[in-house]
Amino acid sequence: MRKKILAANWKMNLTQVEAASFVQTFLGEIGEVNDVEIVIVPPFTSIPALAQISEKAPFIRLGAQNVHWERSGAYTGEISATMLRALFVKYVLIGHSERRSLFGETDETVNRKVSAALEAGLRPIMCIGESLAERESGLVEKVLHRQVEGGLKGIAADHMSEIVLAYEPVWAIGTGRTATPEQAEEAHAFIRSVLAELFDQSSADRIRIQYGGSVKPENTEDLMRKPDIDGALVGGASLDPRSFAQIIRATEKTLK
Ligand code: PEP
């Protein structure tokens, strides 16, 4: 049984003061959560303000939006996995489509980051997904296969339960255009079949695959009811503590 995982990707939003205020409101809204794992992924500068959050609410984990593959050295502007671990960070987004399209990340750099994160004891949330042009050209499966194979190259199967994949069709991110639950399920089932082919069935069954792309309270329940959708990576709607709390409530509803 895969525990559903809901992550709030704040992107380049919320100062540390705003982050602390978000958490206060959010904790008041959600109360106790037992069956769903929640990850808050603030910008680096707000991580210290949230570093103790798991002490107050053990079902909430802290995430980061990026990591470098080297442990230390002359890499101006970069942050290492060890630095994140020292701030109680547990998850790290790797290869978000904005990192790929705006900052030149490739399957190869994604793979180096996934390895470095695992080595330091961080859990990668590796993002994959096709563009609109790729979908319209019938290339969805080809692109997803390439991204999964390239990103997880050389990773041992026994790491699979520590890795989360996020299927985020690029055309659905920040556009208000969500994949239908059927489109998302089809992609998730395909990704799981690729994992079974590249690793083995038990690894494929263990790995959690989140959906991301304009998730909001109104569309959460239908998406989360699909058998291969194990959670959501939420951008815009996670900036409002009430709407993120509603997404969690809608997910919990699907477990009853
Ligand atoms: C994201 O940034 O990962 C994302 C899915 O954004 P949004 O929910 O705003 O589409």
Side-chain angles (χ1 to χ4, degrees):
M1 180 67 181
R2 299 181 294 266
K3 191 169 193 174
K4 292 226 191 295
I5 175 165
L6 298 170
N9 174 16
W10 288 356
K11 311 193 186 193
M12 197 170 72
N13 294 292
L14 304 192
T15 63
Q16 56 170 339
V17 173
E18 290 164 338
S21 147
F22 174 105
V23 166
Q24 212 174 5
T25 312
F26 181 63
L27 291 179
E29 287 286 325
I30 49 163
E32 187 77 25
V33 176
N34 292 311
D35 302 327
V36 177
E37 192 173 357
I38 299 168
V39 187
I40 299 199
V41 190
F44 291 130
T45 48
S46 291
I47 289 176
L50 304 186
Q52 310 301 332
I53 192 168
S54 295
E55 280 175 22
K56 282 192 217 148
F59 47 87
I60 301 183
R61 316 265 186 223
L62 198 49
Q65 296 177 18
N66 190 17
V67 66
H68 195 261
W69 56 82
E70 293 292 347
R71 288 183 193 170
S72 61
Y75 301 99
T76 302
E78 294 293 334
I79 301 281
S80 76
T82 322
M83 292 169 182
L84 295 175
R85 289 284 288 150
L87 286 171
F88 308 102
V89 169
K90 181 137 186 161
Y91 286 92
V92 62
L93 296 186
I94 296 179
H96 188 279
S97 74
E98 287 150 17
R99 300 288 326 161
R100 292 179 191 253
S101 66
L102 303 172
F103 302 100
E105 296 203 7
T106 61
D107 291 330
E108 196 203 328
T109 59
V110 166
N111 182 238
R112 292 171 86 170
K113 291 178 179 202
V114 169
S115 294
L118 289 168
E119 195 184 315
L122 282 175
R123 298 179 165 205
I125 300 180
M126 187 179 100
C127 305
I128 56 175
E130 81 287 354
S131 66
L132 186 58
E134 287 163 340
R135 176 161 283 264
E136 287 175 348
S137 312
L139 295 173
V140 176
E141 295 193 349
K142 192 168 176 213
V143 170
L144 294 178
H145 196 293
R146 192 200 69 222
Q147 291 176 334
V148 173
E149 188 170 25
L152 297 180
K153 195 169 153 199
I155 306 295
D158 55 11
H159 277 306
M160 286 306 129
S161 47
E162 294 152 50
I163 297 174
V164 176
L165 293 186
Y167 169 63
E168 300 204 296
V170 179
W171 47 272
I173 298 180
T175 58
R177 192 177 156 190
T178 324
T180 63
E182 292 67 34
Q183 280 173 324
E185 171 60 22
E186 193 182 4
H188 283 229
F190 174 73
I191 293 164
R192 217 176 285 291
S193 75
V194 173
L195 292 165
E197 171 208 318
L198 298 174
F199 297 92
D200 51 66
Q201 191 60 50
S202 114
S203 303
D205 289 339
R206 265 180 294 144
I207 199 162
R208 291 181 292 177
I209 309 176
Q210 296 176 307
Y211 168 77
S214 298
V215 171
K216 14 182 201 282
E218 309 85 71
N219 59 25
T220 301
E221 201 179 320
D222 288 344
L223 286 160
M224 294 307 128
R225 285 201 185 278
K226 293 291 178 193
D228 286 294
I229 301 185
D230 307 313
L233 179 54
V234 188
S238 76
L239 288 170
D240 173 355
R242 289 181 186 86
S243 98
F244 190 47
Q246 281 168 14
I247 287 171
I248 292 156
R249 289 281 167 255
T251 303
E252 285 182 309
K253 231 167 120 183
T254 67
L255 306 173
K256 303 217 161 94

